[in-house]
Amino acid sequence: QKEVEQNSGPLSVPEGAIASLNCTYSDRGSQSFFWYRQYSGKSPELIMFIYSNGDKEDGRFTAQLNKASQYVSLLIRDSQPSDSATYLCAVQGAGGTSYGKLTFGQGTILTVHP
Amino acid sequence: DAGVTQSPTHLIKTRGQHVTLRCSPISGHKSVSWYQQVLGQGPQFIFQYYEKEERGRGNFPDRFSARQFPNYSSELNVNALLLGDSALYLCASSSYRGRYTEAFFGQGTRLTVV
């Protein structure tokens, strides 16, 4: 079992729709969870983080965390063509030797078509 | 405020050669991590340094080494290059926020081994 798994893509949604990206993780001790956006040929850009159960909203983005189910998701409302990118889920451990280490999923390619 | 800077941006090396990649973190950040991203996959953790000490090492061979300098900049060295070392090498600068650590990536170094 992979440590961090993301829903297999690619995911294609029409402009204005809600895009839903999902991620599961295996380490129950994980404490912090991040979503990065990566455009083709570019480096990952941090767009959301969450560490408490529930929802966290930032503009058109909502991150959801359920530690009991070891599940984290990202919703993008009113999707725009500029949202087309690879979305990476990253998990951070409980500190100590895990401090600073991020474990990434394989990424989900999102395409928003006009 | 300058972000994370990496050099060089692109590099072509021959099998068996040695390469040194450089990273300057965000001002005030004391932690630097290195990741390898092969095409189509998420970044894989290589090393993490904090206050010039190694705090974490991923599952990479001893051909990979790194160090952090007193000004918190860092170098990643790879010896005896293999074709499989061709990848995007990412440096992340981190700031500990109490319950989580924010990590910001540089633009990366694209290494091609021929």
Side-chain angles (χ1 to χ4, degrees), chain B residues 17-49:
Chain B
Q17 285 189 314
H18 162 91
V19 68
T20 298
L21 310 180
R22 297 179 173 83
C23 172
S24 291
I26 293 169
S27 177
H29 287 194
K30 299 179 179 180
S31 176
V32 169
S33 300
W34 289 94
Y35 292 80
Q36 180 196 65
Q37 187 176 26
V38 174
L39 195 62
Q41 297 182 18
Q44 295 292 312
F45 174 75
I46 308 175
F47 285 109
Q48 193 241 339
Y49 277 79

Side-chain angles (χ1 to χ4, degrees), chain A:
Chain A
Q1 181 191 7
K2 292 182 181 178
E3 292 183 69
V4 179
E5 288 203 57
Q6 297 184 235
N7 51 328
S8 59
L11 177 65
S12 181
V13 301
E15 185 174 356
I18 296 176
S20 177
L21 303 159
N22 304 313
C23 175
T24 57
Y25 59 95
S26 60
D27 183 0
R28 283 197 171 274
S30 301
Q31 287 201 337
S32 308
F33 307 86
F34 303 82
W35 284 98
Y36 285 84
R37 177 176 61 199
Q38 186 173 28
Y39 292 114
S40 181
K42 302 295 185 182
S43 64
E45 172 193 10
L46 179 63
I47 55 172
M48 287 287 287
F49 67 89
I50 187 168
Y51 51 77
S52 297
N53 275 327
D55 295 358
K56 179 183 178 183
E57 188 174 317
D58 184 1
R60 296 187 296 113
F61 299 98
T62 299
Q64 299 173 316
L65 174 60
N66 184 327
K67 289 187 177 181
S69 300
Q70 295 175 246
Y71 174 89
V72 59
S73 67
L74 178 71
L75 299 177
I76 306 175
R77 290 182 301 282
D78 188 24
S79 296
Q80 301 297 308
S82 59
D83 294 326
S84 298
T86 296
Y87 288 81
L88 296 162
C89 172
V91 174
Q92 190 171 78
T97 56
S98 297
Y99 167 71
K101 174 187 174 184
L102 293 171
T103 301
F104 284 86
Q106 76 276 23
T108 300
I109 298 172
L110 171 67
T111 301
V112 181
H113 52 88

Side-chain angles (χ1 to χ4, degrees), chain B residues 8 10-21 78 80-83 85-86 109-114:
Chain B
H10 294 83
L11 202 52
I12 299 175
K13 289 286 191 178
T14 304
R15 277 179 298 175
Q17 285 189 314
H18 162 91
V19 68
T20 298
L21 310 180
V78 187
L81 286 166
L82 303 174
L83 294 180
D85 295 330
S86 296
T109 295
R110 174 74 63 185
L111 172 65
T112 302
V113 182
V114 297

